[in-house]
């Protein structure tokens, strides 16, 4: 039942997301669309309550309960970023808004971006670990909680692997190829251009 509920929550997440964005931009009802988007955390609350009731009713702690905790943690750590990314694309394609800003692909800007994504994984593992420890305490000595505690190791091992990948972008920053827009000076206003370039341009104007 727990696995089926996880599947239902995942499907419900995308259904609510699609309904919220369509209501917000196609039907021009931003408040109603926002209300639908805000209902998404209720799915995780439902999953948490059902998992607790299942354990309370004497169910043997298993990998299914651990998976539920990891799923909730992942949603907390990365759900907001996913919704924000899709909302930006929906605003552009359905609401006539500006194109969403793409994440950087090169240099230390890419490294900082990957670091922020990695912090989401840290949050996910911390939330999952807290829920798993609470579940172990909730079950007490009456049941075998090794399967629950093993998921804590799984969560933090995933964080470690993700952290090494994110760190690689800082140790070996990827360089932009010649002619790529990101390799040029991104700013157009003089106050955002390096002082040396501004002084050189002013000298050229004075000579003319």
């Amino acid at each position: 039942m727990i696995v089926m509920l996880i599947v239902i929550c995942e499907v419900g997440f995308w259904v609510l997301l699609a309904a919220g964005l369509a209501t917000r931009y196609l039907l021009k009802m931003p408040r109603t669309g926002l209300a639908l988007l805000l209902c998404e955390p209720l799915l995780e609350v439902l999953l948490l309550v059902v998992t607790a009731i299942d354990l309370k009713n004497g169910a043997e702690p298993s990998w299914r309960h651990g998976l539920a905790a990891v799923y909730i943690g992942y949603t907390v750590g990365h759900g907001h970023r996913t919704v924000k990314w899709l909302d930006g694309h929906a605003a552009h394609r359905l609401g006539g808004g500006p194109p969403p800003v793409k994440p950087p692909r090169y240099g230390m800007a890419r490294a900082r971006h990957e670091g922020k994504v990695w912090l989401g994984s840290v949050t996910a593992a911390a939330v999952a670990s807290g829920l798993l420890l609470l579940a172990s305490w909730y079950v007490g000595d009456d049941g075998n909680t090794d399967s629950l505690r093993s998921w804590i190791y799984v969560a933090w091992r995933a964080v470690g692997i993700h952290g090494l990948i994110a760190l690689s972008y800082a140790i070996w920053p990827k360089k932009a190829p010649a002619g790529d827009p990101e390799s040029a000076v991104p700013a157009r206003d003089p106050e955002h251009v390096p002082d040396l370039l501004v002084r050189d341009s002013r000298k050229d104007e004075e000579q003319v």
Side-chain angles (χ1 to χ4, degrees):
M1 182 182 68
I2 298 298
V3 176
M4 180 60 66
L5 186 58
I6 292 175
V7 174
I8 293 175
C9 287
E10 180 67 14
V11 174
F13 173 85
W14 292 105
V15 170
L16 280 176
L17 182 59
L21 294 177
T23 303
R24 190 173 185 180
Y25 296 109
L26 289 179
L27 301 181
K28 307 299 182 182
M29 301 170 64
R31 293 185 177 180
T32 304
L34 180 61
L36 289 173
L37 293 177
L38 292 177
C39 287
E40 290 181 346
L42 297 178
L43 296 174
E44 280 64 52
V45 174
L46 173 63
L47 178 59
L48 179 61
V49 171
V50 172
T51 302
I53 293 176
D54 192 44
L55 292 173
K56 184 66 175 179
N57 290 337
E60 185 69 20
S62 66
W63 64 270
R64 299 175 181 84
H65 302 97
L67 180 62
V70 171
Y71 174 80
I72 294 173
Y74 179 85
T75 304
V76 173
H78 293 286
H80 175 73
R81 183 172 55 85
T82 302
V83 172
K84 184 177 179 181
W85 180 78
L86 290 173
D87 183 69
H89 282 274
H92 170 57
R93 296 183 179 276
L94 304 178
V101 179
K102 295 182 179 180
R105 295 180 295 171
Y106 307 109
M108 294 307 298
R110 174 64 182 274
R112 288 190 292 270
H113 170 74
E114 295 295 334
K116 291 179 180 179
V117 177
W118 175 73
L119 289 178
S121 296
V122 173
T123 301
V127 171
S129 298
L131 291 176
L132 290 167
L133 290 175
L134 284 175
S136 299
W137 171 80
Y138 186 67
V139 174
D141 299 331
D142 297 333
N144 185 6
T145 59
D146 292 341
S147 59
L148 296 178
R149 295 180 181 275
S150 65
W151 278 96
I152 298 178
Y153 169 74
V154 172
W156 287 105
R157 183 177 61 178
V159 169
I161 295 174
H162 188 184
L164 291 176
I165 296 174
L167 184 61
S168 67
Y169 287 97
I171 299 177
W172 301 287
K174 188 177 180 180
K175 296 182 180 180
D180 191 276
E182 289 190 27
S183 63
V185 177
R188 296 182 179 180
D189 299 328
E191 62 268 24
H192 298 306
V193 181
D195 294 339
L196 182 60
L197 297 181
V198 174
R199 289 197 298 267
D200 291 342
S201 63
R202 289 176 178 174
K203 289 181 181 178
D204 293 340
E205 292 177 357
E206 292 174 358
Q207 290 177 358
V208 174

